[in-house]
Amino acid sequence: MSKRLQMTAVGLLMAVAPTFAAIPTNDAERAKMDEFVSGLMSKMTLDEKLGQLNLPTGGDITTGQAIESNIGAAAAAGQIGGTFNIKGAQKNYEIQKLAVEKSRLGIPLLIGQDVIHGYETVFPIPLALSCSWDMDAIERSARIAAIESSAGGINWTFSPMVDICRDPRWGRIAEGAGEDPYLGSEIARAMVRGYQGKDNLKGNSDILACVKHFALYGASEAGRDYNTVDMSRLRMYNEYFAPYKAAVDEGAATVMTSFNLVDGIPATENKWLVTDVLRDQWGFDGMVVTDYGSIGEVEIHGLEKLPEASARALKAGTDMDMCSFGFIGTLKQGLENGSVTMADIDKAVRRILEAKYKLGLFENPYKYNDLAREAKDIYTPEHRAEARRIAAETFVLLKNQDGLLPLAKKGTIALVGPLADAANQMAGTWSVAAAHWKYKSLKQGFEDAVGKKAKILYAKGANIESDPVRETAHTWGNDIRDLRSDEELLAEAVAVASKADVIVAAVGEGIEGSGESSSRTDISLPASQRRLLEAMLATGKPVVMLNFSGRPTVMEWEAENIPAIMNVWFGGSETADAVPDVVFGDVNPSGKLTASMPRNVGQIPVYYNHYNTGRPKADDNGVFVPYRTNYLDSRNSPLYPFGYGLSYTDFAYTDFALDNATLGADGAITASVTVTNKGKRAGDEVVQFYIRDVAGSIARPVKELKHFERISLKPGESKRVDFRITPEMLKFYNYDLDYVAEPGDFLVMVGPDSERVETLPFVLK
Ligand code: BGC
């Protein structure tokens, strides 16, 4: 393109550039946006419009090479509306520059990335983050992720992932907030606020959130990734939809459709889902993008071929095609044969341009390309300190026999296990921008923590899996395999452990043992690691197990045999410091499970907010009772329930009371409880309130989380914690899908987890 033309492109844009950009909040602002977008659209050719609907991945281009790359050529030709997963401020700037300066209309690009739990400062995986129950911390983690990724040229994150999941076989449970609709909704909101900023996307570190995967992806059958979903509408509305809707209510600017079927139709082309529910019922007026290649997968699901699937997806209300090339490749044909209209195409183009407008890209296409920011805003000491503090809040202390934890910083400590000296595994799945080489291993973290006060001995003891092929599936490119035999590794660990006073075993999954495409049918510790734990116990020394996992682990044997167990998930870039912070007691653990830990795979799905059967079993004591709802060979309850997690101190719950046992239709009543720190250490407790609707017009769950509060208590200190109950929070979708609160009997419960609760009755008039 000639220089003159380049200037024309920029000139064209600037001539119509608005004076306001951000998410419009009133009619005048909306009118201004409409006027600008309509003006721009009136200048666009059909090809340019279809270009906007196209979202291919960037591949990994090298700095300075954008111009020679396919993606660069497509940007310059106006054939893409955006691209994603290119890391580096300079590279993303080069791509943006090609779109802005070389394409005829100079329309800037959406530059996306899977910034799921941080950028280079990596926060714990989302499942772990949810275990903090700390909404401020979660919002701050998203804010820091937005600051860092925008410094890298990103203006759109494919997060939050809010798929409710009750099946830990599904590897992507790692990316979500667990099994609960209410907690999941609160977290979805916090993340949207964090990404998009306080000021409607005005700042240059405020990026578009993309709530995904709409919808029901977490309910894939048998926990196998990409598998079929089939679910009643009641369950959708009352359980699985809540967090998507919460994110939309909070102002999430974009939504990503899911891979799975919803009512027999792939989500991406399901009009009921994308238009009737999302847009019409929930009022979402932002942009919908498909998941990777999902229009192309329609045919493989057993429906139409790409041209018809593209038309159907567009008509369903989907705007942007990620990597199927169906919109750019076939919609012209669709226009000719009448399967789509120009109005259908325009609707999608408008929404994409509006997303760019909201970002302020038409005002300043380089808003996210301030190259100086990359050096100063990424992986800063402040961000790292925050990540370390937050990571420590996510660890869940599952067992602590005789107060084995915290350990004293003295004597000799044997650190063993495949995750003990594996810096490149700490970040956890979907950490696209992680800089593994900058992170410390746990071993280094332990050494730094104890200094000269104690001696740390190390032996690997086991590979993640004995079988090298299986191990590769856990670690992908981040290989950590030790080529010695299992026996040699074990013998070394036994020798090291025999010199120690206490053993800390860092065991579990590898970095990609959970996440996308990492479903497992066996979610217990691999045999090589079980053998290591057995050998450690056999030394007679006290053993602390640190479980690295992206999902609930089946650990009945461990729970019976190992004196202290802490689930540390994948804690992100600062894991190496955050784990010793808690192990040595500088921080008191406060994480609580957000997904039940099953006793065995056969119980799955096992979750706290289930329905009663007509034949409940009164006592979950492990004794089989015929013709009751129970198993011949297992209890019904999980090993560790939703909401469970211990502390180094003890909290007592007393004086649970309701100020009124009758709730008027327009009124409110308050349940309160006194929580006292009975121990000798300060600590945080997550006080949980549940409600049961005793007799509904449809069956209602045995309990539902409705409120929680994270409180800090000094030794001996007490706090009264209140829960204000209103009819609004008793609402649910009835058989006709009306959102109603039904008068009648209710129970309110409070406790430190979903099982150990006290209960009081009340009536809704
Ligand atoms: C995943 C999405 C992700 C997308 C883009 C897909 O495989 O399902 O969660 O955002 O890829 O990387």
Side-chain angles (χ1 to χ4, degrees), residues 127 130-131 133 165-168 173 177-180 183 551-552 569 592-598 606-607 638 640-644:
L127 179 63
S130 70
C131 294
W133 300 55
C165 180
R166 295 161 168 178
D167 193 332
I173 193 173
E179 72 190 32
D180 186 61
L183 180 62
R551 50 156 62 87
W569 314 106
K592 303 261 193 176
L593 294 178
T594 57
S596 309
M597 287 253 186
V606 56
Y607 50 94
Y640 298 113
F642 176 85
Y644 175 88

Side-chain angles (χ1 to χ4, degrees), residues 84-85 114 158 172 212-213 256 259 291-292 322 430 516:
F84 64 101
N85 284 358
D114 288 287
F158 301 141
R172 301 196 81 170
K212 70 186 188 186
H213 305 82
M256 185 187 293
F259 288 125
D291 202 349
Y292 199 111
M322 184 196 287
W430 259 138
E516 184 170 354

Side-chain angles (χ1 to χ4, degrees), residues 164 166 179-185 216 231-245 272 277 281-282 607-611 693 696-701 703-706 728-742:
I164 299 251
R166 295 161 168 178
E179 72 190 32
D180 186 61
Y182 175 71
L183 180 62
S185 299
L216 320 178
M231 187 185 289
S232 74
R233 295 253 163 126
L234 283 175
R235 183 158 260 183
M236 290 184 203
Y237 275 87
N238 280 318
E239 298 162 39
Y240 283 73
F241 276 172
Y244 308 108
K245 179 165 188 302
W272 173 77
V277 175
Q281 291 171 21
W282 298 354
Y607 50 94
Y608 86 94
N609 48 351
H610 60 86
Y611 299 92
D693 186 343
S697 58
I698 57 168
R700 307 285 298 120
K703 54 176 80 98
E704 295 174 286
L705 181 73
K706 292 287 180 180
E728 186 60 29
M729 58 182 65
L730 308 181
K731 286 189 175 168
F732 64 99
Y733 292 90
N734 68 13
Y735 196 78
D736 299 320
L737 299 179
D738 296 324
Y739 194 53
V740 296
E742 294 177 342

Side-chain angles (χ1 to χ4, degrees), residues 615-639:
R615 297 182 178 193
K617 182 159 180 271
D619 202 355
D620 190 49
N621 56 5
V623 181
F624 173 72
V625 181
Y627 304 107
R628 293 277 116 194
T629 187
N630 60 161
Y631 296 103
L632 288 170
D633 58 353
S634 172
R635 290 172 198 249
N636 292 344
S637 62
L639 181 60

